[in-house]
């Protein structure tokens, strides 16, 4: 279960994953269950921001400039006020992401504003891994052409 909310400062994402998580402390983030959020402010897909985490609270942040021509990914991007919290038990894990608008190249959305969005949850304990996404990206979570639309409402 994923919930999104927003205010004049932040975009909020909450995950309730009701399954036994793969959360090995010795693995890198991508070896465990993951939650990934991709946002492209507006509908022009000029830039893309990615925030990812696992049940241990490990994190990955990335910025991609896609227009006028694709640029190399910037792995140093991490907004100062970004908050990622995760907790886990034997049969579930939860996560909260607070993504500040001031950490992105965007204007603060107003009601009726549309952005492109993809949220992906991967469960690694199942064989094969179970992947659930809000956008059908044809196996490439970075495929912004296929992202869904997030409409900011009152």
């Amino acid at each position: 279960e994923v919930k999104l909310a927003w205010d004049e400062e932040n975009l909020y994402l909450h995950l309730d994953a009701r399954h036994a998580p793969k959360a090995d402390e010795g693995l890198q983030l991508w070896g465990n269950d993951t939650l990934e959020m991709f946002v492209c402010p507006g509908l022009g897909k000029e830039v893309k921001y990615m925030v990812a985490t696992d049940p241990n609270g490990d994190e990955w942040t990335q910025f991609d400039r896609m227009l006028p021509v694709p640029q190399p990914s910037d792995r140093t991007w991490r907004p100062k006020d970004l908050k990622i919290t995760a907790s886990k038990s034997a049969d579930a894990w939860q996560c909260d992401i607070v993504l500040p608008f001031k950490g992105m190249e965007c204007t603060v959305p107003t009601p009726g504003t549309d952005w492109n969005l993809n949220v992906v949850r991967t469960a690694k304990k199942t064989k094969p891994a179970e992947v659930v996404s809000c956008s059908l990206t044809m196996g490439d979570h970075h495929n912004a052409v296929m992202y869904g639309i997030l409409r900011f409402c009152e």
Side-chain angles (χ1 to χ4, degrees):
E1 182 176 302
V2 172
K3 296 177 182 179
L4 292 167
W6 69 289
D7 61 22
E8 59 280 345
E9 295 181 7
N10 303 298
L11 179 62
Y12 303 89
L13 183 146
H14 175 77
L15 167 77
D16 275 319
R18 296 182 185 112
H19 60 82
K22 181 170 183 186
D24 297 342
E25 295 287 344
L27 291 178
Q28 291 183 349
L29 177 140
W30 303 114
N32 288 320
D33 287 5
T34 56
L35 172 68
E36 301 170 74
M37 178 172 64
F38 302 85
V39 293
C40 300
L43 295 177
K45 300 179 181 88
E46 293 95 356
V47 295
K48 175 178 62 187
Y49 300 90
M50 175 188 180
V51 177
T53 190
D54 69 5
N56 299 323
D58 298 327
E59 63 181 58
W60 176 282
T61 58
Q62 180 173 316
F63 167 76
D64 291 286
R65 185 169 305 283
M66 300 182 295
L67 292 175
V69 294
Q71 302 291 311
S73 296
D74 178 358
R75 284 274 298 117
T76 64
W77 173 80
R78 188 190 190 287
K80 176 182 157 195
D81 294 328
L82 173 69
K83 293 181 182 78
I84 299 173
T85 57
S87 62
K88 63 188 178 207
S89 66
D91 58 355
W93 71 287
Q94 296 78 36
C95 173
D96 288 291
I97 297 173
V98 179
L99 179 60
F101 295 124
K102 68 182 177 184
M104 299 184 280
E105 292 178 13
C106 70
T107 56
V108 174
T110 56
T113 299
D114 293 332
W115 283 16
N116 286 117
L117 171 82
N118 191 22
V119 177
V120 181
R121 194 262 315 147
T122 303
K124 297 275 179 106
K125 274 204 170 183
T126 61
K127 298 295 181 206
E130 177 183 287
V131 179
V132 178
S133 172
C134 71
S135 303
L136 182 60
T137 56
M138 308 307 287
D140 178 0
H141 307 320
H142 292 270
N143 183 4
V145 171
M146 301 299 289
Y147 285 1
I149 296 174
L150 168 64
R151 174 157 294 151
F152 293 86
C153 299
E154 291 188 39

